Amino acid sequence: MTWTVTPEPYDSPVAAALWRAYYTEVSDRWYLLHEGRRTDPAELEREIAAQPGADLAPPDGRLLVARYDGEPAGNAGVRLVDDTTAELKRVFLREPMRGRGGAPLLVGAAEDTARALGATRMILDTRSDLVEARGLYARLGYRETGRHNDDPYAEHWFSKELA
């Protein structure tokens, strides 16, 4: 069984299925923690429609899809914020694929993509309840920084120099 990571159009059927799985998981986690319920299906559809991922399209962005033994297993997005800074977005692996080494490979591919776009620094944000993500980023050399955006769900901000 092997991993591959390749660029994917943000609006492909594979990307849409992974975005739906990602958004459902992180949204359900937030609602279960804060309101004791899962995401309302109508809200899920509104949010997916409002954030289709066009910011991850060339020339200033890329969506990467990780495949395990040829099957779509996860994704990560990169978008330029300015000439030297890229933002890491939508890092996700389907639950059955976790623990198999795909996440570091996916983030590494995103860093390589950011470098190819001209970035020398990667930034990202995440939430407190996404402890696995925070642990991954710390293991991969990301350092917690001050706030760099006004996302209402962001609670932790990270940065890494891409030397």
Side-chain angles (χ1 to χ4, degrees), residues 6-11 15 56-57 61-65 75-78 90:
T6 56
E8 180 83 21
Y10 78 91
D11 56 354
L56 303 178
R62 300 287 186 282
L63 178 68
L64 304 172
V65 168
N75 55 248
V78 176
R90 297 188 184 185

Side-chain angles (χ1 to χ4, degrees), residues 24-106:
T24 299
E25 182 173 325
V26 297
S27 182
D28 279 354
R29 246 173 121 156
W30 191 90
Y31 278 116
L32 286 168
L33 179 65
H34 295 283
E35 298 183 11
R37 66 173 179 89
R38 294 193 179 279
T39 308
D40 176 86
E43 179 189 6
L44 179 70
E45 294 309 316
R46 280 191 309 273
E47 289 301 314
I48 288 172
Q51 297 184 37
D55 58 334
L56 303 178
D60 294 328
R62 300 287 186 282
L63 178 68
L64 304 172
V65 168
R67 288 178 169 80
Y68 187 73
D69 201 28
E71 292 299 316
N75 55 248
V78 176
R79 70 178 191 93
L80 286 178
V81 175
D82 60 39
D83 289 342
T84 60
T85 306
E87 184 176 23
L88 183 60
K89 305 289 291 177
R90 297 188 184 185
V91 176
F92 172 72
L93 281 178
R94 293 181 186 271
E95 191 170 354
M97 298 294 109
R98 295 175 190 162
R100 299 179 186 197
L105 182 70
L106 190 53

Side-chain angles (χ1 to χ4, degrees), residues 1-2 17 24 45 49-50 64 89 103 111 125 141 151 156-157:
M1 303 290 182
T2 59
T24 299
E45 294 309 316
L64 304 172
K89 305 289 291 177
E111 291 171 356
D125 65 68
D151 183 325
H156 298 271
W157 296 265

Side-chain angles (χ1 to χ4, degrees), residues 60 72 104 111 116 128 136 153 158:
D60 294 328
E111 291 171 356
S128 292
L136 170 70
Y153 296 103
F158 292 82

